[in-house]
Amino acid sequence: MSVNKVILVGRLGRDPEVRYMPNGEAVANFSIATDEQWKDRDGNRQTRTEWHNITLYRKLGEIAGQYLRKGGLVYIEGRIQSRKYTGKDGVERTAYEIIGNEMKMLGSKSDNAGGGNYQEPQGGDYGQSQSYNAPAPAAAPPAAPRRQENRPAPAPVDDIDDDIPF
Amino acid sequence: MSVNKVILVGRLGRDPEVRYMPNGEAVANFSIATDEQWKDRDGNRQTRTEWHNITLYRKLGEIAGQYLRKGGLVYIEGRIQSRKYTGKDGVERTAYEIIGNEMKMLGSKSDNAGGGNYQEPQGGDYGQSQSYNAPAPAAAPPAAPRRQENRPAPAPVDDIDDDIPF
Amino acid sequence: MSVNKVILVGRLGRDPEVRYMPNGEAVANFSIATDEQWKDRDGNRQTRTEWHNITLYRKLGEIAGQYLRKGGLVYIEGRIQSRKYTGKDGVERTAYEIIGNEMKMLGSKSDNAGGGNYQEPQGGDYGQSQSYNAPAPAAAPPAAPRRQENRPAPAPVDDIDDDIPF
Amino acid sequence: MSVNKVILVGRLGRDPEVRYMPNGEAVANFSIATDEQWKDRDGNRQTRTEWHNITLYRKLGEIAGQYLRKGGLVYIEGRIQSRKYTGKDGVERTAYEIIGNEMKMLGSKSDNAGGGNYQEPQGGDYGQSQSYNAPAPAAAPPAAPRRQENRPAPAPVDDIDDDIPF
DNA sequence: TTTT
DNA sequence: TTTT
């Protein structure tokens, strides 16, 4: 009865952060930039960058952690989701994020590499069943950390679900 | 080089508010609900409603004011845009909204009517050139109010761009 | 590395036809109309109707058979797929269809009803894992027909994969 | 009242062909490949390539002719449109194409270059008002050829609207 | 915080 | 006909 769909193509501002929920499922967070350009009334070219906070769960989150890199170009399909939280300053705010259910690495050349000993070093597309997509389980410490092979360990678990959302 | 696209189908929580910028161009604001449903681990059906703040400029804004109504089903295509603002409490927050560039009324029956003496009383689709879409001009009092025929006058101009974004 | 996505909202020209593959999985076929309207150079309003052939597999196909009806408004998300076939006249042609992986019934009122003794008589949304979506298995006779409760039996199995694609 | 939207990201099989209508407006034609990959029941990785015929009118068509190149990665947003035609063999067929209203060059590196003396040698995004998009004017000889600077002249005009659609 |  |  309703549709909530977002399609983004943009570049990562940083490498993804991958954390694990108590049940061992991965949660990857990163943000991507999209730019819009237009000419103002004086004919001057203007640019505006929008940063989108992306959250990928489970298998997609793991793949993001393995293959996506700062500066890489990525296609994300998902939905908009808001979340209320209270900051360190005691102020309630609303955070918005994109919960992705589809992710495809674009830009075949240098960016988003990752290589390592994986079979898909360059590009690929990955889907996730919408039906598995329970809304925004809060990130939490991993039962079994499952360290990534070719990148640093995820942030310490006590950093998770801190007061700043992204 | 990047894509920022949102596609929503949902119902309006209230009638649109239409205001006018100094140059006489319309700005319509309203929010629409999308629902997602899933089963939790106990097999219980869960529902979550997300409210999306929509902004339509110019011709699209005028058409929204004329035809869209609380409860009506609408298709919106646009882009995500954030905006920083400082609330009455002096706290800075970020508001997110969807700047629509396409709008189509769905739900042929009672909702979204409007009828009046227009030729398209029921449904219709309306596009807007992306190139006309300068990013988020701040809403402002109308140079020439151009009252809507079949709905109440827009909110008093001194309400516009107040501290609460939506 | 690539994206092939179609989003349609339109009305069914006929009730869906549901057939079954040898393994018992459902395949629903129907077409939906989309209209575009524009003004020609003389200012006359023109309309053009495009008919889209939709194919839904498995669970989505079953749900379509149960709930979608001629005239009903439906949201379909999927991908474009072509298929070569040779007609009765011995001529090879290419058929295009939309393989849907998401379907949502819109238009809450009379259309698309179905009612019966199902829990979701009016609207609802249904997803399908992309990963289950093997490309276009040919439709075939059912191993176990599983008659639909509130609609006529599917077309005789020897009609399936005939020379005319839709 | 309806939506007909296609979003594609894929690579061009050849350089675009640009022709001109009698009124001097450009029409660019090219096809792009999208791939889907899945594992069959034996766990073997399968690939299927779909070729999409793209048509871009006016400004978008000119930009495509200037910047898009064989092998380049491109984002296309548009609508599905069918067209009946009779081939040399006297057989009537239906051709499907995507009429694009948005085009963005992706893949910043080598592909899609074009450089020349233009200001946007690498990537960029270009929109087109939906409202200008009259359905499929037939391609025709140019009133004023307007030769492209950095590519060969368009196909001879008597090749246009021949019996084979793409 | 990305990229051109 | 592209690409990895």
Side-chain angles (χ1 to χ4, degrees), chain C residues 1-11 23 33-36 38 41 48 50-53 73 79-83 89 91-94 96 98 133-135, chain D residues 1-11 23 33-36 38 41 48 50-53 73 79-83 91-94 96 98 133-135:
Chain C
M1 273 278 335
S2 65
V3 174
N4 175 357
K5 177 157 288 285
V6 177
I7 289 174
L8 301 172
V9 175
R11 294 191 181 275
N23 62 3
T34 59
D35 290 299
E36 70 179 309
W38 74 100
R41 62 185 62 188
R48 186 184 190 285
E50 184 73 44
W51 286 96
H52 307 268
N53 296 304
L73 189 66
R79 65 179 195 275
I80 303 174
Q81 193 169 276
S82 62
R83 186 162 38 103
D89 53 7
V91 172
E92 184 176 280
R93 290 181 174 81
T94 301
Y96 286 78
I98 306 302
N133 254 338
Chain D
M1 273 273 340
S2 65
V3 175
N4 174 359
K5 176 157 288 285
V6 177
I7 288 174
L8 301 172
V9 176
R11 294 191 183 274
N23 62 4
T34 59
D35 290 297
E36 70 179 308
W38 74 102
R41 63 184 62 188
R48 187 185 189 285
E50 184 72 42
W51 286 97
H52 308 268
N53 296 303
L73 189 67
R79 65 179 195 275
I80 303 174
Q81 192 170 277
S82 63
R83 185 160 41 102
V91 173
E92 184 175 281
R93 291 181 173 81
T94 302
Y96 286 77
I98 307 303
N133 254 338

Coordinates of all heavy atoms in Angstrom, one line a residue, chain C residues 1-11 23 33-36 38 41 48 50-53 73 79-83 89 91-94 96 98 133-135, chain D residues 1-11 23 33-36 38 41 48 50-53 73 79-83 91-94 96 98 133-135:
Chain C
M1 N 27.7 -4.5 -10.9 CA 28.3 -3.6 -12.0 C 27.3 -3.0 -12.9 O 27.6 -2.3 -13.8 CB 29.3 -4.5 -12.8 CG 30.6 -4.6 -12.3 SD 31.7 -3.2 -12.7 CE 31.1 -2.5 -14.2
S2 N 26.0 -3.4 -12.8 CA 25.0 -2.8 -13.6 C 23.7 -2.8 -12.9 O 23.5 -3.5 -11.9 CB 24.9 -3.6 -15.0 OG 24.5 -4.9 -14.8
V3 N 22.8 -2.0 -13.4 CA 21.5 -1.9 -12.8 C 20.4 -2.0 -13.9 O 20.6 -1.4 -15.0 CB 21.3 -0.5 -12.1 CG1 19.9 -0.3 -11.6 CG2 22.3 -0.4 -11.0
N4 N 19.4 -2.8 -13.7 CA 18.3 -2.9 -14.6 C 17.0 -2.9 -13.8 O 16.6 -3.9 -13.3 CB 18.5 -4.3 -15.4 CG 17.3 -4.6 -16.3 OD1 16.3 -3.9 -16.3 ND2 17.4 -5.7 -17.0
K5 N 16.4 -1.7 -13.7 CA 15.3 -1.6 -12.7 C 14.2 -0.9 -13.4 O 14.4 0.2 -14.1 CB 15.8 -0.8 -11.5 CG 14.6 -0.5 -10.5 CD 15.1 -0.3 -9.1 CE 15.6 -1.5 -8.5 NZ 14.5 -2.4 -8.1
V6 N 13.0 -1.4 -13.2 CA 11.8 -0.8 -13.7 C 10.8 -0.6 -12.6 O 10.6 -1.4 -11.8 CB 11.1 -1.8 -14.8 CG1 9.8 -1.2 -15.3 CG2 12.1 -2.0 -15.9
I7 N 10.2 0.6 -12.6 CA 9.1 0.9 -11.7 C 7.9 1.3 -12.4 O 7.9 2.3 -13.2 CB 9.6 2.0 -10.7 CG1 10.7 1.4 -9.8 CG2 8.4 2.6 -9.9 CD1 11.3 2.4 -8.8
L8 N 6.8 0.6 -12.2 CA 5.6 0.9 -13.0 C 4.4 1.0 -12.0 O 4.3 0.3 -11.0 CB 5.2 -0.3 -13.9 CG 6.3 -0.6 -15.0 CD1 5.9 -1.9 -15.7 CD2 6.4 0.5 -16.0
V9 N 3.5 1.9 -12.3 CA 2.2 2.0 -11.6 C 1.2 2.0 -12.7 O 1.2 3.0 -13.5 CB 2.1 3.2 -10.7 CG1 0.7 3.2 -10.1 CG2 3.1 3.1 -9.6
G10 N 0.3 1.1 -12.8 CA -0.7 1.1 -13.8 C -1.8 0.1 -13.5 O -1.8 -0.5 -12.4
R11 N -2.8 0.0 -14.4 CA -3.9 -0.8 -14.2 C -3.9 -2.1 -15.0 O -3.4 -2.0 -16.2 CB -5.2 0.0 -14.5 CG -5.4 1.1 -13.5 CD -6.8 1.7 -13.6 NE -6.9 2.8 -12.6 CZ -7.2 2.7 -11.4 NH1 -7.5 1.5 -10.9 NH2 -7.2 3.7 -10.5
N23 N 8.0 -28.0 -11.2 CA 8.3 -28.1 -9.8 C 7.2 -27.5 -8.9 O 7.4 -27.4 -7.7 CB 9.7 -27.4 -9.5 CG 9.6 -25.9 -9.8 OD1 8.6 -25.4 -10.2 ND2 10.8 -25.3 -9.7
A33 N -1.4 -1.1 -18.0 CA -1.3 0.1 -18.9 C -0.7 1.2 -18.2 O -1.1 1.5 -17.0 CB -2.7 0.4 -19.4
T34 N 0.2 1.9 -18.8 CA 0.6 3.3 -18.3 C 0.2 4.3 -19.4 O 0.3 3.9 -20.6 CB 2.1 3.3 -18.0 OG1 2.9 3.0 -19.1 CG2 2.4 2.4 -16.9
D35 N -0.1 5.4 -19.0 CA -0.5 6.5 -20.0 C 0.5 7.6 -19.9 O 0.9 8.0 -18.8 CB -1.9 7.0 -19.6 CG -3.0 6.0 -19.9 OD1 -3.1 5.6 -21.1 OD2 -3.6 5.6 -19.0
E36 N 0.8 8.2 -21.0 CA 1.5 9.5 -20.9 C 0.7 10.5 -21.7 O 0.0 10.2 -22.7 CB 2.9 9.4 -21.5 CG 3.0 9.2 -22.9 CD 4.4 9.1 -23.4 OE1 5.2 10.0 -23.0 OE2 4.8 8.1 -24.1
W38 N 0.6 14.6 -23.1 CA 1.4 15.7 -23.5 C 0.6 16.6 -24.4 O -0.5 16.2 -24.9 CB 2.7 15.3 -24.1 CG 2.6 14.8 -25.5 CD1 2.9 15.5 -26.7 CD2 2.2 13.5 -26.0 NE1 2.6 14.7 -27.8 CE2 2.2 13.5 -27.4 CE3 1.7 12.4 -25.3 CZ2 1.8 12.4 -28.1 CZ3 1.4 11.2 -26.0 CH2 1.4 11.3 -27.4
R41 N 2.2 20.4 -30.7 CA 2.6 21.8 -31.0 C 1.4 22.7 -31.2 O 1.5 23.9 -31.2 CB 3.5 21.8 -32.2 CG 2.8 21.3 -33.5 CD 3.8 21.2 -34.6 NE 4.9 20.3 -34.3 CZ 6.0 20.1 -35.1 NH1 6.1 20.8 -36.1 NH2 6.9 19.2 -34.7
R48 N -1.2 8.6 -24.9 CA -0.6 7.4 -25.5 C -0.5 6.3 -24.4 O -0.1 6.6 -23.3 CB 0.9 7.7 -26.0 CG 1.5 6.6 -26.7 CD 3.0 7.0 -27.0 NE 3.6 6.0 -28.0 CZ 4.0 4.8 -27.6 NH1 3.9 4.4 -26.4 NH2 4.5 4.0 -28.5
E50 N 0.8 2.7 -23.1 CA 1.8 1.7 -23.2 C 1.3 0.5 -22.4 O 1.0 0.6 -21.2 CB 3.1 2.2 -22.7 CG 4.3 1.3 -23.0 CD 4.7 1.2 -24.4 OE1 4.8 2.2 -25.1 OE2 4.9 0.0 -24.9
W51 N 1.4 -0.7 -23.0 CA 1.1 -1.9 -22.3 C 2.3 -2.7 -21.9 O 3.1 -3.0 -22.8 CB 0.1 -2.8 -23.1 CG -1.3 -2.3 -23.2 CD1 -1.8 -1.5 -24.2 CD2 -2.3 -2.5 -22.2 NE1 -3.1 -1.2 -23.9 CE2 -3.4 -1.8 -22.7 CE3 -2.4 -3.1 -21.0 CZ2 -4.6 -1.7 -21.9 CZ3 -3.6 -3.1 -20.3 CH2 -4.7 -2.4 -20.7
H52 N 2.4 -3.1 -20.7 CA 3.6 -3.7 -20.2 C 3.3 -5.2 -19.8 O 2.4 -5.4 -19.0 CB 4.2 -3.0 -19.0 CG 4.4 -1.6 -19.2 ND1 5.6 -1.1 -19.6 CD2 3.6 -0.5 -19.1 CE1 5.6 0.3 -19.7 NE2 4.4 0.6 -19.4
N53 N 4.0 -6.1 -20.3 CA 3.8 -7.5 -19.9 C 4.6 -7.8 -18.7 O 5.8 -7.7 -18.7 CB 4.2 -8.4 -21.1 CG 3.4 -8.2 -22.3 OD1 2.1 -8.3 -22.3 ND2 4.0 -7.9 -23.4
L73 N -5.3 -1.1 -9.7 CA -4.0 -0.3 -9.8 C -2.9 -1.0 -9.0 O -3.1 -1.5 -7.9 CB -4.3 1.1 -9.2 CG -3.2 2.1 -9.3 CD1 -3.0 2.5 -10.8 CD2 -3.6 3.4 -8.5
R79 N 12.6 -6.0 -13.4 CA 13.7 -5.7 -14.4 C 13.1 -6.1 -15.8 O 12.2 -6.9 -16.0 CB 14.9 -6.6 -14.1 CG 14.7 -8.1 -14.2 CD 16.0 -8.8 -13.9 NE 15.8 -10.2 -14.4 CZ 15.3 -11.2 -13.6 NH1 14.8 -10.9 -12.4 NH2 15.2 -12.4 -14.1
I80 N 13.7 -5.5 -16.8 CA 13.4 -5.7 -18.2 C 14.1 -7.0 -18.7 O 15.3 -7.2 -18.4 CB 13.8 -4.6 -19.1 CG1 13.2 -3.3 -18.6 CG2 13.5 -4.9 -20.6 CD1 13.7 -2.0 -19.4
Q81 N 13.4 -7.8 -19.3 CA 14.0 -9.0 -19.9 C 13.4 -9.4 -21.2 O 12.2 -9.3 -21.5 CB 13.7 -10.2 -18.9 CG 14.6 -11.4 -19.2 CD 14.5 -12.4 -18.1 OE1 15.2 -12.3 -17.1 NE2 13.7 -13.4 -18.3
S82 N 14.3 -9.7 -22.2 CA 13.8 -10.0 -23.5 C 13.9 -11.5 -23.7 O 14.7 -12.2 -23.0 CB 14.7 -9.3 -24.6 OG 16.0 -9.7 -24.5
R83 N 13.2 -12.0 -24.7 CA 13.1 -13.4 -24.9 C 12.9 -13.6 -26.4 O 11.9 -13.0 -26.9 CB 12.0 -14.0 -24.1 CG 11.9 -15.5 -24.1 CD 11.0 -16.0 -22.9 NE 9.9 -15.2 -22.6 CZ 8.6 -15.4 -22.9 NH1 8.3 -16.5 -23.6 NH2 7.7 -14.6 -22.5
D89 N 3.8 -18.3 -37.4 CA 4.1 -18.0 -38.8 C 5.6 -18.3 -39.1 O 6.1 -18.0 -40.2 CB 3.8 -16.5 -39.1 CG 4.5 -15.6 -38.1 OD1 5.3 -16.1 -37.3 OD2 4.2 -14.4 -38.1
V91 N 8.1 -16.9 -37.9 CA 9.0 -15.7 -37.8 C 9.6 -15.6 -36.4 O 8.8 -15.8 -35.4 CB 8.2 -14.5 -38.2 CG1 9.0 -13.2 -37.9 CG2 7.7 -14.5 -39.6
E92 N 10.8 -15.3 -36.3 CA 11.4 -15.1 -35.0 C 11.2 -13.6 -34.6 O 11.4 -12.7 -35.4 CB 13.0 -15.4 -35.1 CG 13.6 -15.2 -33.7 CD 15.0 -15.6 -33.6 OE1 15.3 -16.8 -33.5 OE2 15.9 -14.7 -33.6
R93 N 10.8 -13.5 -33.4 CA 10.6 -12.2 -32.8 C 11.2 -12.1 -31.4 O 11.6 -13.2 -30.9 CB 9.1 -11.9 -32.7 CG 8.4 -11.7 -34.0 CD 6.9 -11.3 -33.7 NE 6.2 -11.0 -34.9 CZ 5.7 -11.8 -35.8 NH1 5.9 -13.1 -35.6 NH2 5.1 -11.4 -36.9
T94 N 11.3 -10.9 -30.9 CA 11.7 -10.8 -29.5 C 10.6 -10.2 -28.7 O 10.0 -9.2 -29.0 CB 12.9 -9.8 -29.5 OG1 14.0 -10.3 -30.3 CG2 13.5 -9.7 -28.1
Y96 N 9.4 -8.7 -25.0 CA 9.9 -8.0 -23.8 C 8.9 -8.2 -22.7 O 7.7 -8.0 -22.9 CB 10.2 -6.5 -24.1 CG 11.4 -6.4 -24.9 CD1 11.3 -6.6 -26.3 CD2 12.6 -6.0 -24.4 CE1 12.5 -6.5 -27.1 CE2 13.7 -5.9 -25.1 CZ 13.7 -6.1 -26.5 OH 14.8 -6.0 -27.3
I98 N 8.5 -7.6 -18.1 CA 9.0 -7.1 -16.9 C 8.9 -8.3 -15.9 O 7.8 -8.7 -15.6 CB 8.2 -5.9 -16.4 CG1 8.1 -4.8 -17.4 CG2 8.8 -5.4 -15.1 CD1 9.4 -4.3 -17.9
N133 N 15.7 -15.0 -7.7 CA 15.1 -14.8 -9.0 C 16.0 -15.3 -10.1 O 16.6 -14.5 -10.8 CB 15.0 -13.2 -9.1 CG 13.6 -12.8 -9.0 OD1 12.7 -13.6 -9.2 ND2 13.3 -11.6 -8.7
A134 N 16.0 -16.5 -10.3 CA 16.7 -17.0 -11.5 C 16.0 -16.5 -12.7 O 14.8 -16.3 -12.7 CB 16.6 -18.6 -11.5
P135 N 16.7 -16.2 -13.8 CA 16.1 -15.6 -15.0 C 15.1 -16.5 -15.6 O 15.4 -17.6 -16.0 CB 17.3 -15.4 -15.9 CG 18.5 -15.4 -15.0 CD 18.1 -16.3 -13.9
Chain D
M1 N -1.5 9.5 -13.0 CA -2.3 8.3 -12.7 C -1.5 7.0 -13.0 O -2.0 6.0 -12.7 CB -3.5 8.3 -13.6 CG -4.7 9.0 -13.1 SD -5.8 8.0 -11.9 CE -5.4 6.3 -12.3
S2 N -0.3 7.2 -13.6 CA 0.5 6.0 -13.8 C 1.9 6.4 -13.8 O 2.3 7.5 -13.9 CB 0.1 5.3 -15.1 OG 0.4 6.1 -16.2
V3 N 2.8 5.4 -13.7 CA 4.2 5.6 -13.6 C 4.9 4.6 -14.6 O 4.5 3.4 -14.6 CB 4.8 5.4 -12.2 CG1 6.3 5.5 -12.2 CG2 4.2 6.4 -11.2
N4 N 5.8 5.1 -15.4 CA 6.5 4.2 -16.3 C 8.0 4.7 -16.2 O 8.4 5.6 -16.9 CB 6.0 4.4 -17.7 CG 6.8 3.7 -18.8 OD1 7.8 3.1 -18.5 ND2 6.3 3.8 -20.0
K5 N 8.7 4.1 -15.4 CA 10.1 4.6 -15.1 C 11.1 3.4 -15.2 O 10.9 2.4 -14.6 CB 10.1 5.2 -13.7 CG 11.5 5.7 -13.3 CD 11.5 6.7 -12.3 CE 11.0 8.0 -12.8 NZ 12.0 8.7 -13.7
V6 N 12.2 3.7 -15.8 CA 13.3 2.8 -16.0 C 14.6 3.4 -15.5 O 14.8 4.6 -15.8 CB 13.4 2.4 -17.4 CG1 14.6 1.4 -17.6 CG2 12.2 1.7 -17.9
I7 N 15.3 2.7 -14.7 CA 16.6 3.1 -14.3 C 17.7 2.1 -14.7 O 17.5 0.9 -14.3 CB 16.6 3.4 -12.8 CG1 15.8 4.6 -12.5 CG2 18.1 3.5 -12.2 CD1 15.6 4.9 -11.0
L8 N 18.6 2.5 -15.5 CA 19.6 1.5 -15.9 C 21.0 2.1 -15.7 O 21.3 3.3 -15.8 CB 19.5 1.3 -17.5 CG 18.2 0.8 -18.0 CD1 18.1 0.9 -19.5 CD2 17.9 -0.6 -17.5
V9 N 21.9 1.2 -15.3 CA 23.3 1.5 -15.3 C 24.0 0.4 -16.1 O 23.9 -0.8 -15.8 CB 23.9 1.6 -13.9 CG1 25.4 1.8 -13.9 CG2 23.3 2.7 -13.1
G10 N 24.7 0.8 -17.1 CA 25.4 -0.2 -18.0 C 26.4 0.4 -18.9 O 26.6 1.6 -18.9
R11 N 27.0 -0.5 -19.7 CA 28.0 0.0 -20.6 C 27.6 0.0 -22.1 O 26.8 -0.9 -22.5 CB 29.3 -0.9 -20.5 CG 29.9 -0.8 -19.1 CD 31.3 -1.5 -19.0 NE 31.8 -1.3 -17.7 CZ 32.5 -0.3 -17.2 NH1 32.8 0.7 -18.0 NH2 32.9 -0.2 -16.0
N23 N 13.5 19.5 -37.9 CA 13.6 20.7 -37.2 C 14.9 21.0 -36.5 O 15.1 21.9 -35.8 CB 12.5 20.8 -36.1 CG 12.6 19.7 -35.1 OD1 13.6 19.0 -35.1 ND2 11.7 19.6 -34.2
A33 N 24.5 -2.5 -22.1 CA 24.3 -3.9 -21.6 C 24.2 -3.9 -20.1 O 24.9 -3.2 -19.4 CB 25.6 -4.7 -21.9
T34 N 23.3 -4.7 -19.6 CA 23.2 -5.0 -18.1 C 23.4 -6.5 -18.0 O 22.9 -7.2 -18.8 CB 21.9 -4.5 -17.5 OG1 20.8 -5.1 -18.1 CG2 21.7 -3.0 -17.6
D35 N 24.0 -6.8 -16.9 CA 24.3 -8.2 -16.6 C 23.6 -8.7 -15.4 O 23.5 -7.9 -14.4 CB 25.8 -8.5 -16.4 CG 26.5 -8.3 -17.7 OD1 26.2 -9.1 -18.6 OD2 27.3 -7.4 -17.8
E36 N 23.0 -9.8 -15.4 CA 22.6 -10.4 -14.1 C 23.3 -11.7 -13.9 O 23.6 -12.4 -14.8 CB 21.1 -10.6 -14.1 CG 20.6 -11.7 -14.9 CD 19.0 -11.8 -14.8 OE1 18.6 -11.9 -13.7 OE2 18.4 -11.8 -15.8
W38 N 23.6 -15.2 -11.3 CA 23.0 -16.0 -10.3 C 23.6 -17.4 -10.3 O 24.4 -17.7 -11.2 CB 21.5 -16.1 -10.6 CG 21.1 -17.0 -11.7 CD1 20.6 -18.3 -11.7 CD2 21.2 -16.7 -13.1 NE1 20.4 -18.8 -13.0 CE2 20.8 -17.8 -13.9 CE3 21.6 -15.5 -13.9 CZ2 20.7 -17.9 -15.3 CZ3 21.6 -15.6 -15.3 CH2 21.1 -16.7 -16.0
R41 N 21.0 -24.3 -9.9 CA 20.7 -25.3 -8.9 C 22.0 -26.2 -8.6 O 22.0 -26.8 -7.5 CB 19.5 -26.2 -9.2 CG 19.8 -27.1 -10.5 CD 18.5 -27.8 -10.8 NE 17.4 -26.9 -11.1 CZ 16.1 -27.2 -11.3 NH1 15.8 -28.5 -11.2 NH2 15.2 -26.3 -11.6
R48 N 23.8 -13.6 -17.6 CA 22.9 -13.3 -18.7 C 23.0 -11.8 -19.0 O 22.9 -11.0 -18.1 CB 21.5 -13.6 -18.3 CG 20.5 -13.5 -19.4 CD 19.1 -13.8 -18.8 NE 18.1 -13.9 -19.9 CZ 17.6 -12.8 -20.6 NH1 18.0 -11.6 -20.3 NH2 16.7 -13.0 -21.5
E50 N 21.6 -8.5 -20.9 CA 20.4 -7.9 -21.6 C 20.9 -6.6 -22.2 O 21.6 -5.8 -21.6 CB 19.4 -7.6 -20.5 CG 18.1 -7.0 -21.0 CD 17.3 -8.1 -21.7 OE1 17.2 -9.3 -21.2 OE2 16.7 -7.8 -22.8
W51 N 20.5 -6.4 -23.5 CA 20.8 -5.2 -24.2 C 19.6 -4.3 -24.3 O 18.5 -4.7 -24.7 CB 21.3 -5.5 -25.7 CG 22.7 -6.1 -25.6 CD1 23.0 -7.4 -25.7 CD2 23.9 -5.4 -25.6 NE1 24.4 -7.6 -25.6 CE2 25.0 -6.3 -25.6 CE3 24.2 -4.0 -25.5 CZ2 26.3 -6.0 -25.5 CZ3 25.6 -3.6 -25.5 CH2 26.6 -4.6 -25.5
H52 N 19.8 -3.1 -23.9 CA 18.7 -2.1 -23.9 C 19.0 -1.0 -25.0 O 20.0 -0.4 -25.0 CB 18.6 -1.4 -22.5 CG 18.6 -2.4 -21.4 ND1 17.4 -2.8 -20.9 CD2 19.6 -3.0 -20.7 CE1 17.7 -3.6 -19.9 NE2 19.0 -3.8 -19.7
N53 N 18.0 -0.8 -25.8 CA 18.1 0.2 -26.8 C 17.7 1.6 -26.2 O 16.6 1.7 -25.7 CB 17.3 -0.1 -28.0 CG 17.7 -1.4 -28.7 OD1 18.9 -1.4 -29.1 ND2 16.9 -2.4 -28.8
L73 N 30.5 3.7 -18.9 CA 29.5 3.3 -18.0 C 28.5 4.5 -17.9 O 29.0 5.6 -17.7 CB 30.1 3.0 -16.6 CG 29.2 2.4 -15.6 CD1 28.7 1.0 -15.9 CD2 29.9 2.4 -14.2
R79 N 11.8 6.0 -19.8 CA 10.5 5.3 -19.8 C 10.6 4.2 -20.9 O 11.3 4.4 -21.9 CB 9.3 6.2 -20.0 CG 9.3 6.9 -21.3 CD 8.1 7.8 -21.5 NE 7.9 8.2 -22.8 CZ 8.4 9.2 -23.4 NH1 9.2 10.0 -22.7 NH2 8.2 9.5 -24.7
I80 N 9.8 3.2 -20.8 CA 9.7 2.1 -21.8 C 8.8 2.6 -22.8 O 7.7 3.1 -22.5 CB 9.3 0.8 -21.2 CG1 10.2 0.4 -20.0 CG2 9.1 -0.3 -22.2 CD1 9.7 -0.9 -19.3
Q81 N 9.1 2.4 -24.1 CA 8.2 2.7 -25.2 C 8.3 1.7 -26.3 O 9.4 1.3 -26.7 CB 8.5 4.1 -25.7 CG 7.5 4.7 -26.6 CD 7.7 6.1 -26.9 OE1 7.3 7.0 -26.1 NE2 8.3 6.4 -28.0
S82 N 7.2 1.3 -26.8 CA 7.2 0.3 -27.8 C 6.8 1.0 -29.1 O 6.2 2.1 -29.1 CB 6.2 -0.8 -27.6 OG 4.9 -0.3 -27.5
R83 N 7.2 0.4 -30.2 CA 7.0 0.9 -31.5 C 6.8 -0.2 -32.5 O 7.6 -1.1 -32.6 CB 8.2 1.8 -31.9 CG 8.1 2.5 -33.2 CD 9.1 3.7 -33.2 NE 10.4 3.3 -32.7 CZ 11.5 3.0 -33.4 NH1 11.4 3.0 -34.7 NH2 12.6 2.7 -32.9
V91 N 7.5 -8.4 -42.4 CA 6.9 -8.9 -41.1 C 6.7 -7.7 -40.1 O 7.7 -7.0 -40.0 CB 7.7 -10.0 -40.5 CG1 7.2 -10.4 -39.1 CG2 7.7 -11.2 -41.4
E92 N 5.6 -7.6 -39.5 CA 5.4 -6.6 -38.5 C 6.0 -7.1 -37.2 O 5.8 -8.2 -36.8 CB 4.0 -6.2 -38.3 CG 3.8 -5.1 -37.3 CD 2.4 -4.6 -37.2 OE1 2.0 -3.8 -38.1 OE2 1.7 -5.0 -36.2
R93 N 6.8 -6.3 -36.6 CA 7.3 -6.6 -35.2 C 7.1 -5.4 -34.3 O 6.7 -4.3 -34.7 CB 8.8 -6.9 -35.3 CG 9.2 -8.2 -36.0 CD 10.6 -8.4 -36.0 NE 11.0 -9.7 -36.6 CZ 11.1 -10.0 -37.8 NH1 10.8 -9.1 -38.7 NH2 11.5 -11.2 -38.2
T94 N 7.4 -5.6 -33.1 CA 7.3 -4.5 -32.1 C 8.7 -4.3 -31.5 O 9.3 -5.2 -31.0 CB 6.4 -4.8 -31.0 OG1 5.1 -5.1 -31.5 CG2 6.3 -3.7 -30.0
Y96 N 11.2 -2.3 -28.8 CA 11.1 -1.7 -27.5 C 12.3 -0.8 -27.3 O 13.4 -1.2 -27.6 CB 11.0 -2.7 -26.3 CG 9.6 -3.3 -26.3 CD1 9.3 -4.3 -27.2 CD2 8.7 -2.8 -25.3 CE1 8.0 -4.8 -27.2 CE2 7.4 -3.4 -25.3 CZ 7.1 -4.3 -26.2 OH 5.8 -4.9 -26.2
I98 N 14.1 2.5 -24.7 CA 14.1 3.3 -23.5 C 14.3 4.8 -23.9 O 15.3 5.1 -24.5 CB 15.2 3.0 -22.5 CG1 15.1 1.5 -22.1 CG2 15.1 3.8 -21.2 CD1 13.8 1.0 -21.6
N133 N 9.2 16.2 -23.5 CA 9.4 14.8 -24.0 C 8.2 14.3 -24.8 O 7.5 13.4 -24.3 CB 9.7 13.9 -22.9 CG 11.2 13.5 -22.9 OD1 11.8 13.6 -23.9 ND2 11.7 13.1 -21.8
A134 N 7.9 14.9 -25.9 CA 6.8 14.3 -26.8 C 7.3 12.9 -27.1 O 8.4 12.6 -27.3 CB 6.6 15.1 -28.0
P135 N 6.3 12.0 -27.2 CA 6.6 10.6 -27.5 C 7.2 10.4 -28.9 O 6.6 10.8 -29.9 CB 5.3 9.9 -27.4 CG 4.4 10.8 -26.7 CD 4.9 12.2 -27.0

